[in-house]
Amino acid sequence: MGKKNEKTLNEPVSTLDLKSMIHENALFFDKLIELIPARFYLSNEKDKPWFQGLSKAEKASAKKQSRENIKKARRDRLDPEKSTKTTLDLLKENLEKEKVIKESDEEEIEVKPIMSDLGNGEEPSVTYEELRQRLRRKIEELRGGRNTGGSDKGKKKIEKKGNVQKKRKRDSGEEEKKVTSSTDRDNVEKDMEEAAKELTFSRVKLGDEEKHGKKKKRKLSKFKELENATKLQEAKKDPEKGEVIAKKHSWKAAMDRAAGIKVHDDPKLLKQSIQKEKKRHQKNVEKWNERVETTEKLKTEKQQKRSDNIAEKIHQKKMRRIAKREKKLLRPGFEGRKDGFINEGST
Amino acid sequence: MARLRNRKKKVFLKPIVKKKQEQQQQPNVDPITGNKIPKSFVFSRGKLPGPLRQLQMDLRKLMLPYTALKLKEKKRNNLKDFLNVAGPMGVTHFLILSKTETSPFLRVAKTPQGPTLTFKIHEYSLAVDIAQSQLRPRCPQDLFKNSPLIVLSGFATGDEHLKLTTTLFKNIFPDIDINTVKLSSCQRIVLLNYNKDTKLIDFRHYSIRLQPVGVSRRIRKFVQNHQVPDLRNLQDVSDFVTKSGYGSESEADEEAATVTLTSDLSRVNRASTKSAVKLQEIGPRMTLQLIKVEGGLCSGEVMFSEYGNGGNKKKPDGQEDSEKDNEMEGSDDDNEEEDSDEDIEENEEDDEED
């Protein structure tokens, strides 16, 4: 097999043949690339989601995002209408992107076209929309004659009526709009915007806030807080601006307290807590000293006991030796140790 | 920590707090947002008539799950006793109901030193009455397992005291973390609407229900109720499926109130389909008027008063004014029905009056 190939290569190669050969090779390689799934062939930065080091909220959002991405990708893959992007197409896209980036180095603004919800998905169902409009108008006419027990719907009802009136005003004003359905949608959105200006919702914690927040205020030591509080009190007693300051401070303190932030502005309470802290500190110091004492005592006791035991042992040893010596002299018929000469003095 | 708490409870508590087993393990700090979860006590000062006691119960249910549902209070309990218990248990808000000859009052206060807002209750309806007035009252099993959302309207362009009201109410309920919140856990909503002309605040409490939109009524009912429909008069099943009747009265509202769900809620409400948000009223309904804002907890200087300084001294049945500790700066003498019911002090006061 190999020799046959060599044979073909030995023939004189004209440029046309070269081109066609290159073209064939290119096609062959393209087909190979298409066989490899894009995941393995193209390096994607977002392939491995990095979860370490994020806070809990960020992790949750990242996981949610990745789950959604997976779902979306699956849908896109199995969607017969959407074009199937082969690896080759993705590769080509990447190359084009690089080209574009190289060309426009300075400007890297991505212009996202504002997707308005207005026009999307409207075309196929225009007539259906018209039917719905007619139905709605009929219902409203009927409703006008009916007496609704306003208690249940209450505020919502009033808003709805307001919306209807606003709609009528706007419809008369804007005669240029072509499609009726889009005006209604517009009006609803405008109403929602206006209403949203007046509405306040419960506290929502967004995960990104932690990054943008300013440096958290360091907790001042109680002593410093006491100083601040006394200063504030004196400022309040000031005859000129005292009242203004007092009022401003009380409102600010009330708002902070309502929001859950602790406000320390009463010097009396602060003094009390400083005293308590001192006492606690004292107690702890005493306890610590006690503990140190007891350990020392135990130590000395043990050492004492040890040295006593050792001394005792030595003493015992000596006694044993003496006893042993004495035993030797306890043989039968022994009258005892020599205590001195019988005749005192030498004659 | 829970065991410690139990021991403390039995030792010196005068107000007896009975909590269910599950509630004893309630976390103090929300594990996800890391903030402290606000808990509340709803109680009354003085003897309340029957409907007001029901209102108190309704308010307690409203504040579930972060409140003491079976809080028992004795006549001799002071505000101080409640304060003492509130500290170790992590209770941050007090809702206090009281009644005078003119009308009932509701005080919303933040422990331990927080501001107190006094509302006069002009009108109120009990939850029972509202349920009786509805054709199909609705109370699913786990309606009170999660805390409600809160929406305030008309407060934004107000003065300081309105802003304070907004902040206080926003913080009575725990935060919502939009990343991790489950749509199925937002089942109730509390609405507060401020009317600039009459200066009255409407208080409403609804339950949220999601209904899929774009499905014909018959099919929807069939799927939800699992009831086999009556096909006697129809020739073919396709008649059943494609027959479109007139839309219900509320379908016209749906245009504005449809949302696209981001997650599956139930068998019927699937993700990325449109659903209509329907509110059905439960719970008490009140008309409130803010008459006083105090800097301390039922004490302290009066920062805002509807009727001017020094006015509106209330003397609820049997209770007398007695405010001995004035810790806050420059407290005026606006001290209404304070707490102490103790016999000794009452006698003293009687003597003074005589």
Side-chain angles (χ1 to χ4, degrees):
Chain A
M1 274 292 282
K3 284 186 184 166
K4 277 191 188 160
N5 283 344
E6 277 177 351
K7 243 192 180 175
T8 48
L9 282 172
N10 281 342
E11 285 171 11
V13 182
S14 60
T15 48
L16 280 174
D17 282 350
L18 189 63
K19 267 193 185 172
S20 64
M21 229 184 353
I22 292 175
H23 184 65
E24 276 177 27
N25 287 338
L27 283 177
F28 176 64
F29 283 126
D30 282 348
K31 285 208 175 136
L32 274 183
I33 291 175
E34 274 186 35
L35 288 174
I36 307 173
R39 231 184 340 141
F40 300 112
Y41 191 67
L42 299 167
S43 68
N44 203 355
E45 289 131 27
K46 293 185 187 171
D47 251 348
K48 285 203 172 170
W50 185 247
F51 288 137
Q52 261 192 15
L54 299 175
S55 70
K56 248 184 184 163
E58 287 172 341
K59 261 193 220 174
S61 75
K63 279 190 183 161
K64 205 179 178 187
Q65 191 69 26
S66 57
R67 257 183 270 143
E68 282 174 19
N69 283 348
I70 290 171
K71 279 190 187 166
K72 198 173 169 243
R74 202 186 301 149
R75 281 190 90 101
D76 287 345
R77 233 191 309 140
L78 303 173
D79 201 342
E81 289 169 20
K82 293 197 182 164
S83 63
T84 49
K85 278 195 178 170
T86 58
T87 318
L88 203 57
D89 297 333
L90 285 172
L91 186 61
K92 284 185 188 166
E93 273 182 25
N94 283 355
L95 290 174
E96 280 179 19
K97 269 190 206 169
E98 283 180 16
K99 252 200 218 170
V100 170
I101 288 174
K102 277 184 191 167
E103 284 172 13
S104 62
D105 255 338
E106 289 159 354
E107 302 178 303
E108 283 190 353
I109 305 164
E110 283 182 20
V111 178
K112 288 185 188 163
I114 301 167
M115 303 289 285
S116 59
D117 293 335
L118 296 179
N120 273 349
E122 290 268 76
E123 288 108 1
S125 52
V126 170
T127 48
Y128 180 64
E129 282 295 330
E130 279 183 28
L131 284 174
R132 289 207 100 193
Q133 299 304 312
R134 270 188 241 157
L135 175 62
R136 210 184 298 155
R137 265 177 237 149
K138 255 194 197 167
I139 290 173
E140 283 176 15
E141 281 173 35
L142 288 171
R143 197 189 281 153
R146 220 181 44 216
N147 178 26
T148 53
S151 48
D152 276 356
K153 307 256 173 162
K155 184 193 81 161
K156 208 171 132 198
K157 226 346 170 315
I158 300 170
E159 256 193 351
K160 182 67 188 164
K161 279 192 184 150
N163 290 353
V164 168
Q165 284 172 0
K166 282 182 197 164
K167 264 191 225 175
R168 288 203 201 109
K169 276 192 200 163
R170 264 192 228 108
D171 272 346
S172 61
E174 294 171 326
E175 290 151 20
E176 293 162 337
K177 293 268 176 170
K178 297 154 201 167
V179 188
T180 48
S181 53
S182 61
T183 44
D184 278 340
R185 200 63 71 84
D186 251 355
N187 294 336
V188 166
E189 280 190 3
K190 278 189 189 168
D191 293 334
M192 282 190 342
E193 276 178 32
E194 280 197 22
K197 284 182 201 161
E198 287 192 3
L199 292 176
T200 355
F201 299 96
S202 44
R203 252 171 70 162
V204 170
K205 180 161 189 204
L206 307 163
D208 299 338
E209 272 181 11
E210 295 183 33
K211 289 184 206 161
H212 299 304
K214 314 165 214 160
K215 223 179 178 184
K216 274 195 187 162
K217 272 194 176 175
R218 295 239 149 188
K219 199 174 158 194
L220 299 174
S221 76
K222 285 201 178 140
F223 199 64
K224 288 206 176 139
E225 289 198 16
L226 181 62
E227 285 182 6
N228 290 348
T230 40
K231 269 192 219 164
L232 190 64
Q233 263 210 331
E234 283 171 23
K236 283 188 192 168
K237 288 185 189 156
D238 185 20
E240 296 178 347
K241 284 193 173 178
E243 284 207 31
V244 174
I245 295 179
K247 252 192 183 177
K248 247 208 278 181
H249 171 77
S250 62
W251 276 112
K252 188 163 178 287
M255 290 288 279
D256 284 341
R257 286 205 179 108
I261 306 169
K262 293 197 183 170
V263 177
H264 300 123
D265 61 352
D266 192 2
K268 199 170 155 198
L269 291 175
L270 281 170
K271 271 191 208 156
Q272 271 181 9
S273 71
I274 291 180
Q275 293 275 13
K276 269 193 203 168
E277 216 186 296
K278 258 196 214 166
K279 280 193 188 158
R280 243 183 298 154
H281 185 70
Q282 285 284 12
K283 245 190 178 177
N284 287 346
V285 164
E286 276 178 29
K287 274 193 201 165
W288 178 253
N289 288 339
E290 238 188 80
R291 250 184 288 165
V292 168
E293 262 185 52
T294 43
T295 45
E296 290 277 348
K297 232 189 346 180
L298 279 173
K299 197 169 111 183
T300 48
E301 266 181 29
K302 277 192 180 169
Q303 281 178 346
Q304 184 72 18
K305 194 169 183 196
R306 187 161 183 261
S307 49
D308 280 348
N309 286 347
I310 293 174
E312 187 64 33
K313 250 203 285 186
I314 296 174
H315 186 66
Q316 287 294 329
K317 218 173 171 183
K318 281 194 188 156
M319 302 312 296
R320 249 180 280 143
R321 279 224 181 120
I322 292 175
K324 217 175 168 186
R325 240 188 318 156
E326 300 288 307
K327 255 208 304 190
K328 269 200 246 173
L329 306 177
L330 282 175
R331 53 183 191 261
F334 187 60
E335 287 171 2
R337 202 182 244 150
K338 177 174 156 185
D339 215 7
F341 289 105
I342 301 175
N343 301 328
E344 273 286 319
S346 53
T347 49
Chain B
M1 276 313 279
R3 261 181 282 134
L4 243 181
R5 271 197 210 146
N6 280 341
R7 248 181 270 146
K8 274 193 182 172
K9 260 195 256 175
K10 288 175 195 155
V11 170
F12 58 72
L13 263 207
K14 281 184 218 160
I16 302 167
V17 176
K18 283 188 193 169
K19 278 191 178 176
K20 296 181 198 167
Q21 281 302 317
E22 307 116 38
Q23 280 184 327
Q24 277 171 348
Q25 292 160 15
Q26 257 180 13
N28 229 0
V29 175
D30 190 3
I32 294 178
T33 60
N35 296 340
K36 203 169 165 204
I37 299 182
K39 302 188 189 164
S40 54
F41 272 169
V42 183
F43 55 92
S44 61
R45 309 261 71 224
K47 193 161 181 207
L48 295 182
L52 274 180
R53 256 184 268 153
Q54 286 252 357
L55 181 66
Q56 185 189 321
M57 201 59 211
D58 287 340
L59 280 177
R60 273 197 198 154
K61 280 177 89 179
L62 195 150
M63 306 291 299
L64 276 180
Y66 295 117
T67 188
L69 188 60
K70 297 185 185 159
L71 180 69
K72 288 208 175 85
E73 65 216 22
K74 306 256 166 144
K75 203 173 169 196
R76 61 172 189 265
N77 289 142
N78 291 348
L79 200 58
K80 276 201 184 152
D81 296 334
F82 285 108
L83 263 183
N84 284 336
V85 185
M89 293 174 93
V91 173
T92 53
H93 290 85
F94 283 170
L95 270 75
I96 308 171
L97 276 170
S98 57
K99 176 148 173 42
T100 65
E101 289 122 30
T102 48
S103 70
F105 286 85
L106 171 70
R107 276 181 290 174
V108 182
K110 173 128 183 19
T111 61
Q113 293 180 12
T116 314
L117 277 78
T118 311
F119 295 99
K120 178 172 171 178
I121 303 179
H122 283 258
E123 302 165 333
Y124 65 93
S125 308
L126 300 173
V128 193
D129 299 333
I130 292 176
Q132 279 177 353
S133 73
Q134 286 176 347
L135 197 51
R136 296 202 189 92
R138 177 182 175 256
C139 184
Q141 277 281 3
D142 45 358
L143 191 61
F144 293 105
K145 240 168 72 173
N146 303 103
S147 38
L149 312 170
I150 183 160
V151 176
L152 303 132
S153 139
F155 284 93
T157 56
D159 309 320
E160 288 281 345
H161 55 273
L162 289 178
K163 281 193 206 160
L164 186 61
T165 320
T166 333
T167 327
L168 196 62
F169 273 110
K170 267 209 276 185
N171 284 290
I172 279 190
F173 300 112
D175 297 347
I176 300 176
D177 186 6
I178 53 175
N179 286 328
T180 51
V181 73
K182 284 200 236 172
L183 278 181
S184 57
S185 67
C186 315
Q187 285 181 313
R188 291 185 289 141
I189 184 167
V190 172
L191 243 48
L192 285 158
N193 180 32
Y194 178 68
N195 196 339
K196 264 184 257 189
D197 310 320
T198 62
K199 299 204 180 167
L200 292 177
I201 302 175
D202 296 321
F203 180 102
R204 300 279 184 273
H205 182 212
Y206 296 96
S207 74
I208 300 176
R209 191 165 51 119
L210 286 164
Q211 228 180 34
V213 144
V215 195
S216 83
R217 196 149 165 252
R218 292 171 143 222
I219 297 181
R220 183 166 40 87
K221 295 261 175 206
F222 173 45
V223 172
Q224 277 180 336
N225 298 340
H226 294 264
Q227 278 176 354
V228 180
D230 189 4
L231 299 175
R232 257 185 298 192
N233 306 325
L234 301 175
Q235 301 276 30
D236 190 15
V237 171
S238 60
D239 288 343
F240 172 73
V241 171
T242 57
K243 181 173 181 185
S244 60
Y246 283 117
S248 72
E249 313 157 347
S250 52
E251 266 185 27
D253 290 341
E254 287 168 16
E255 266 309 309
T258 44
V259 292
T260 318
L261 291 180
T262 52
S263 58
D264 290 350
L265 242 90
S266 63
R267 234 163 28 89
V268 212
N269 301 311
R270 290 250 165 233
S272 51
T273 56
K274 287 208 160 192
S275 299
V277 176
K278 303 216 166 175
L279 300 178
Q280 187 166 5
E281 187 165 6
I282 47 171
R285 188 195 290 185
M286 297 193 282
T287 313
L288 308 165
Q289 184 190 10
L290 175 66
I291 57 168
K292 204 155 70 134
V293 175
E294 284 165 309
L297 212 166
C298 300
S299 59
E301 62 154 332
V302 176
M303 307 200 306
F304 163 79
S305 179
E306 188 72 34
Y307 300 123
N309 248 355
N312 212 22
K313 271 209 167 170
K314 300 189 299 238
K315 285 200 168 185
D317 22 348
Q319 280 179 337
E320 318 248 331
D321 297 351
S322 79
E323 180 54 12
K324 304 274 168 85
D325 322 344
N326 296 332
E327 293 178 344
M328 305 299 292
E329 331 90 314
S331 63
D332 299 350
D333 54 330
D334 260 281
N335 303 312
E336 291 98 31
E337 7 135 17
E338 245 338 301
D339 352 73
S340 45
D341 247 344
E342 289 172 352
D343 300 329
I344 309 168
E345 288 202 355
E346 257 190 331
N347 286 337
E348 280 182 0
E349 237 100 40
D350 281 343
D351 292 339
E352 277 177 52
E353 292 229 321
D354 291 342

